Amino acid sequence: MQKRFDAVCKISDRRTEGTEPQGSKVLEFFAADVFDNEKMAKHLPKSTYKKLMATLNGMQPLDPGIADEVATAMKEWAVSRGATHYTHWFQPLTGGTAEKHDSFLEFSQGKAIFEFSGKTLTVGEPDASSFPSGGLRSTFEARGYTAWDPTSPAFIKRHSNGATLCIPTIFCSYTGEVLDKKTPLLRSTQALKKAVVRLMKCFGQEEEPVRVTLGAEQEYFLVDKKFYLQRPDLLQTGRTLYGAPPAKHQQLEDHYFGSIPSRILAFMTDVENELWSLGIPAKTRHNEVAPAQFELAPIFEELNLAVDHNMLIMEVLRQVADRHGLVCLLHEKPFAGINGSGKHNNWAISYGKRNLLDPGSNPQENAVFLTVLTSIIHALDSHSDLLRAATAGLGNDHRLGANEAPPAIISTFLGEQLEEVIDQLVDGASAAKSKKAATLRIGVDALPTLKRDATDRNRTSPFAFTGNKFEFRAPGSSQSCAEVNMVLNTIVAEAMDLLSDQLEKLPAAKFNTGLQEILKKEISAHRRVIFNGDGYTKEWLKEAARRGLPNLPSTLEAIQPLKAKENQTLLEKYGVLSKVEMDSRYQVFREEYERRLDIEGKIALEIAKSIIRPVAVKELVALGDAKVCASVESFRKEFAADVDALSKDIAALEKALAKAQGIIPAMDALRKDVDALETIVDDKVWPMPKYREMLFIC
C-alpha cells in the first residue's frame, strides 16, 4: 500500500478550470441536452406536438399513434447532439438508476442506417432477474419491461468518447408487478391531484391544474481520491469504519458558509455546467457545517421531474469529482462524530397559480389554507410510521437523532404564529397570545397576516412548515426522494378525501360554520403530532412517548409498518402499491440492510486483522522489553493491553458475523480498540489516512 505520508506530500493543487461557457452564455446552453417542450415543438409536426402536450398537461392519455413520429424526432435531435446510443433510464429498487445502452445502428439492404421506432421508444425489455424484487420474481424468470414516462423529458448523457440518449421509464415485471420507485410515485401524485381537485370543489372553485412540487437540497462530502483509495472501508461501504476524532473538526463553526476553496469551487462550477445543460436548475452552493462537507440546492420543480433530477445530481457529483481527483461521499455518516448528510425534501402543492401552502390574503384563501394544513396534520399523525419507514436505511440509522439531523420520531413544526392560530381554532379567543385577539371564524375573519418567513426554521423538526412549503428533513443523502414523496402524497390524499367526505355533506348556507367545526375536531384529534420545541432533548423522547407517537430508531424497527394491514390497505386503496408489492418492498429493504451490515462487518474485520493488527504488533515488538525507563515500560504494558483487547474483539466480531447476530455492538467495540491505537502508534507507520488529513486536505 502506498504510504500515507507520500499521499499527503504529493497532493497537487488541482485548480481545474471550469467548463465553458460561463456568465451570460449559461442561458444559451441551459437544457441544451434535454428534449424539452421547445425542442419538441421544433422537431415534431404540430398535430403530434399538440397531442403530446395534452398528455403532458394531464388532459388525455398518450396517443399510441404518435409514438413513431416522436421517436423519429427524438432520434434526429439526439444524433445531431452527438448521440450514437439510446437507453431506457429507470430506477429499480436498488435505490440508484439503471440503463442498458443500444446503438441506433441498423442495416437496411446491406447499408448501415440509424433507426429508432415508436415501439422501441415506448417499451423495452431489460433483464429483471438480477434486480431486487423481494420474491416477486425468481432468478430464472428474467423478463421485465420498461415503459416510457413522457412526463419526464428525454436527455443526453455525455462521456469522453460520445453521448447516449436517456429515456426516463418505469420498470415492471413480466406479470405486471412494480419493480421500481418511479411508478408508485406517479400513481401517488395522480391520487393526490384527484384529492386536491375534489377538496377545492368543496370551496366552489373551478377545476384547475394541480402541481406537486419538490426542491431537494443535497448534502455531500468531498475527499481527495488518494486518501479514498487507501481506505478499504470507504471503498467498500462509503463510510469510515475506523477513525479517531481530530482535535479540530467543526467545533469552531468556521466552515459553514465560509469561503469556498478554489479547488472545490472549480469542481462546483463544472457540476453546475453539466446540470444546467441537463436542464437541472441548480441554484445554491455552499460549505456545510462539517469540514469537507458541502450542499447543492436546486429551484423547485414538478415532483416527478425533481426526483429524476436529484438522481442525476448525485451521479454528476460523483463523476465530476472523479475528474477533479476527488471522491464524492453521499453516505449519511461517512465520518463518525461530526455532521452527517441529509436530503431536505421541500414539498408543496399548487392549484392553478396559487400555492395551497401560502396562507393568502383574504378569508376564502385563509379557509383553504387551514383546511390543507389540517389535512397534512391529520396525515402525519395517522401515518407517521409509514413516513418513517420511507427514510429507513443502515446509513440513516447513524444520522437520525444526532445533533445535525431530526430524531426518528415524526412530528411537525408550525411556528409560533401558526400555533397561535391553531390554538384559537381549537380553544377559542382565550388561547390567543395577541392583545387584539378575537374569536377566529374560518371563512369570515382573515387570519393574521402570515409572511413567508413567519416561522423560524426548527432544525430539530423532521417535518417543518417554512412559510409556503413543508421541509421533510429525515431523508438521507444517498436515498431516492421517490419513496418519501410516494408516502407523503398518498397519506395527504387520504386525509383530504376524509375532509371532503364531511365537507360535501354541508349545506351551502352553513358551510363556514360547519367547516370551522370540522377543522376544530380534526386538529383536536391529531394535534399531538405538532411540536415546536427542541427535538434533541431527552424530555421530548418522554413527551413523545406520553403522546403515543411512534419512535422507530433503527431500520429493522422502521420497516415493520410496511407490513401493517392498515398501511397496506391505504396504498392499495389509492392504487399506489398492492399488498404483494408492499410485502416485496419490505423484503427488499430488509435484505439490503442485512447485506450492507454483513459487508461492513466483514471489511471491518479484514482491516483490523490484516492492516491494523500487524502494524500494532510490529510497533509493540519494536519496543522490546521497554526497560529504558519506568514511563516507557508503563507505556509498553498499556500498548500490549490495547493489542490484546484488539485481538479479543476481532474474535468477537468473527463470531458475531458467523451467527449474524450482535454485529453492530461487536463492530463498535472493535472500533474503540482501533481508534485508541491510532492515537498512540507512530504516525509515520499508521497504515490509513486519518480524519485530520481527509477532512482538511481536499
Side-chain angles (χ1 to χ4, degrees):
M1 179 181 291
Q2 182 184 0
K3 292 292 186 181
R4 177 178 51 82
F5 179 75
D6 293 338
V8 175
C9 293
K10 292 181 180 179
I11 290 175
S12 60
D13 184 13
R14 302 183 186 88
R15 296 182 181 180
T16 307
E17 294 298 325
T19 303
E20 292 292 340
Q22 284 294 320
S24 60
K25 293 184 179 180
V26 168
L27 300 180
E28 297 176 13
F29 77 91
F30 186 83
D33 285 332
V34 183
F35 195 60
D36 55 17
N37 290 359
E38 180 181 341
K39 298 179 186 68
M40 285 190 285
K42 180 179 178 181
H43 290 271
L44 289 171
K46 288 184 179 179
S47 59
T48 302
Y49 175 73
K50 185 176 180 180
K51 290 179 181 178
L52 185 57
M53 286 301 101
T55 297
L56 299 184
N57 293 329
M59 296 169 60
Q60 64 184 41
L62 179 67
D63 181 356
I66 68 173
D68 281 332
E69 291 178 329
V70 173
T72 298
M74 192 181 290
K75 180 257 299 181
E76 291 177 351
W77 167 78
V79 170
S80 73
R81 297 289 298 168
T84 56
H85 290 68
Y86 65 89
T87 180
H88 277 194
W89 183 82
F90 56 101
Q91 300 172 34
L93 297 180
T94 58
T97 60
E99 51 194 59
K100 181 189 73 171
H101 296 203
D102 288 294
S103 73
F104 290 117
L105 190 66
E106 297 286 353
F107 284 90
S108 177
Q109 298 179 347
K111 184 179 180 180
I113 61 171
F114 273 169
E115 189 65 51
F116 188 56
S117 68
K119 182 180 179 181
T120 305
L121 166 65
T122 54
V123 179
E125 189 183 332
D127 187 336
S129 63
S130 296
F131 288 109
S133 72
L136 285 177
R137 303 289 288 156
S138 301
T139 54
F140 62 84
E141 296 174 314
R143 185 170 291 176
Y145 289 108
T146 50
W148 177 38
D149 171 19
T151 64
S152 185
F155 57 92
I156 291 174
K157 284 173 63 174
R158 300 191 174 278
H159 50 87
S160 59
N161 296 315
T164 301
L165 171 67
C166 297
I167 303 156
T169 61
I170 65 168
F171 179 46
C172 64
S173 74
Y174 176 70
T175 49
E177 292 92 355
V178 174
L179 296 176
D180 71 343
K181 292 179 180 287
K182 177 186 276 282
T183 305
L185 177 69
L186 292 172
R187 291 172 174 176
S188 71
T189 304
Q190 182 174 299
L192 179 57
K193 288 181 177 181
K194 184 178 179 180
V196 169
V197 170
R198 182 187 176 194
L199 185 63
M200 292 303 100
K201 284 184 179 179
C202 294
F203 289 88
Q205 297 194 15
E206 295 182 1
E207 184 170 343
E208 294 194 64
V210 180
R211 291 184 71 230
V212 187
T213 57
L214 171 68
E217 303 169 30
Q218 180 70 54
E219 296 176 338
Y220 60 95
F221 279 83
L222 292 172
V223 297
D224 192 278
K225 192 174 182 180
K226 288 184 177 180
F227 291 145
Y228 176 80
L229 294 175
Q230 294 178 84
R231 294 284 314 213
D233 47 1
L234 278 179
L235 277 163
Q236 293 277 296
T237 72
R239 77 180 182 102
T240 54
L241 302 178
Y242 301 113
K248 176 185 182 295
H249 43 88
Q250 65 187 52
Q251 312 98 310
L252 299 180
E253 300 170 335
D254 54 345
H255 185 70
Y256 191 52
F257 279 25
S259 177
I260 302 173
S262 59
R263 183 183 179 192
I264 303 304
L265 193 56
F267 155 80
M268 289 178 168
T269 300
D270 279 359
V271 166
E272 288 173 342
N273 285 336
E274 291 207 15
L275 295 180
W276 288 338
S277 71
L278 290 168
I280 300 173
K283 177 72 173 178
T284 302
R285 62 192 186 196
H286 64 83
N287 292 356
E288 253 300 333
V289 174
Q293 186 185 33
F294 309 92
E295 181 177 295
L296 183 155
I299 297 172
F300 279 64
E301 298 181 281
E302 186 277 326
L303 176 57
N304 178 45
L305 183 60
V307 171
D308 284 359
H309 281 173
N310 181 255
M311 300 305 291
L312 283 171
I313 285 171
M314 291 192 287
E315 183 177 335
V316 170
L317 284 171
R318 288 190 292 261
Q319 291 176 345
V320 175
D322 184 67
R323 296 203 300 266
H324 284 254
L326 299 165
V327 173
C328 177
L329 302 177
L330 292 170
H331 193 283
E332 284 74 22
K333 199 76 169 181
F335 300 99
I338 65 173
N339 272 23
S341 294
K343 185 173 294 181
H344 300 171
N345 193 91
N346 294 285
W347 176 90
I349 315 170
S350 294
Y351 191 70
K353 296 182 179 180
R354 186 191 162 199
N355 181 353
L356 294 180
L357 292 178
D358 187 334
S361 57
N362 61 59
Q364 173 76 354
E365 292 176 343
N366 294 164
V368 170
F369 167 74
L370 272 184
T371 304
V372 172
L373 179 66
T374 300
S375 69
I376 294 171
I377 293 170
H378 178 122
L380 286 178
D381 184 42
S382 301
H383 300 288
S384 63
D385 60 340
L386 192 55
L387 198 57
R388 168 67 182 100
T391 68
L394 182 59
N396 224 13
D397 283 358
H398 297 286
R399 169 181 166 265
L400 291 180
N403 286 338
E404 78 280 356
I409 303 166
I410 302 297
S411 65
T412 184
F413 166 84
L414 299 182
E416 184 177 341
Q417 195 171 9
L418 261 185
E419 186 178 30
E420 181 178 338
V421 171
I422 294 296
D423 289 343
Q424 284 191 61
L425 179 62
V426 175
D427 302 322
S430 60
K433 299 176 183 177
S434 63
K435 295 179 180 178
K436 298 181 180 180
T439 301
L440 186 67
R441 292 183 294 159
I442 302 301
V444 180
D445 290 343
L447 296 180
T449 301
L450 289 171
K451 300 178 182 179
R452 286 191 173 184
D453 59 353
T455 66
D456 197 355
R457 297 184 67 187
N458 187 332
R459 296 180 61 84
T460 73
S461 176
F463 200 85
F465 180 68
T466 54
N468 63 345
K469 63 185 184 302
F470 273 96
E471 181 182 36
F472 187 35
R473 300 185 66 251
S477 55
S478 69
Q479 295 178 326
S480 166
C481 294
E483 205 81 34
V484 295
N485 286 289
M486 173 201 74
V487 172
L488 186 55
N489 288 346
T490 308
I491 64 177
V492 173
E494 179 202 40
M496 286 184 170
D497 279 343
L498 291 173
L499 282 174
S500 294
D501 287 342
Q502 300 174 68
L503 295 175
E504 288 168 350
K505 297 175 183 177
L506 296 176
K510 297 183 178 180
F511 183 81
N512 287 337
T513 54
L515 171 63
Q516 178 135 351
E517 287 303 312
I518 290 170
L519 297 187
K520 178 179 179 179
K521 179 188 69 175
E522 289 290 334
I523 292 175
S524 297
H526 299 288
R527 69 189 303 182
R528 66 174 183 165
V529 79
I530 302 172
F531 177 65
N532 288 336
D534 185 351
Y536 292 155
T537 64
K538 293 180 180 179
E539 288 73 20
W540 169 233
L541 294 178
K542 296 177 182 178
E543 172 61 18
R546 187 192 68 78
R547 295 185 185 191
L549 297 177
N551 183 7
L552 307 170
S554 71
T555 293
L556 293 182
E557 294 169 290
I559 62 175
Q560 293 303 315
L562 296 176
K563 299 196 300 180
K565 183 178 179 180
E566 60 272 20
N567 290 331
Q568 294 189 342
T569 299
L570 167 66
L571 289 168
E572 197 158 31
K573 172 186 175 183
Y574 282 90
V576 176
L577 288 170
S578 68
K579 179 184 183 303
V580 171
E581 290 165 341
M582 284 279 283
D583 288 339
S584 75
R585 273 164 163 69
Y586 169 82
Q587 190 63 32
V588 167
F589 298 152
R590 184 182 181 92
E591 288 176 356
E592 180 190 21
Y593 174 86
E594 292 171 347
R595 289 168 180 171
R596 287 185 181 275
L597 182 57
D598 185 63
I599 291 169
E600 286 195 356
K602 286 178 178 177
I603 195 63
L605 182 64
E606 180 183 338
I607 291 171
K609 288 177 68 175
S610 66
I611 298 177
I612 303 299
R613 185 164 61 180
V615 170
V617 170
K618 285 181 182 179
E619 285 291 284
L620 182 61
V621 171
L623 287 173
D625 293 335
K627 295 180 179 179
V628 178
C629 63
S631 61
V632 175
E633 185 176 358
S634 175
F635 170 71
R636 187 187 184 284
K637 289 181 180 179
E638 292 175 4
F639 196 167
D642 289 341
V643 174
D644 187 49
L646 176 70
S647 294
K648 290 179 180 178
D649 286 331
I650 284 174
L653 180 55
E654 283 182 313
K655 290 180 181 178
L657 286 167
K659 295 179 179 179
Q661 293 180 348
I663 297 174
I664 292 177
M667 287 176 62
D668 290 344
L670 189 54
R671 176 168 194 148
K672 289 181 180 179
D673 300 332
V674 174
D675 291 357
L677 286 169
E678 182 184 315
T679 64
I680 59 175
V681 169
D682 188 342
D683 185 68
K684 292 181 181 179
V685 300
W686 186 254
M688 297 194 300
K690 298 182 178 181
Y691 275 22
R692 60 175 165 81
E693 296 156 344
M694 290 187 290
L695 290 169
F696 292 96
I697 304 177
C698 65

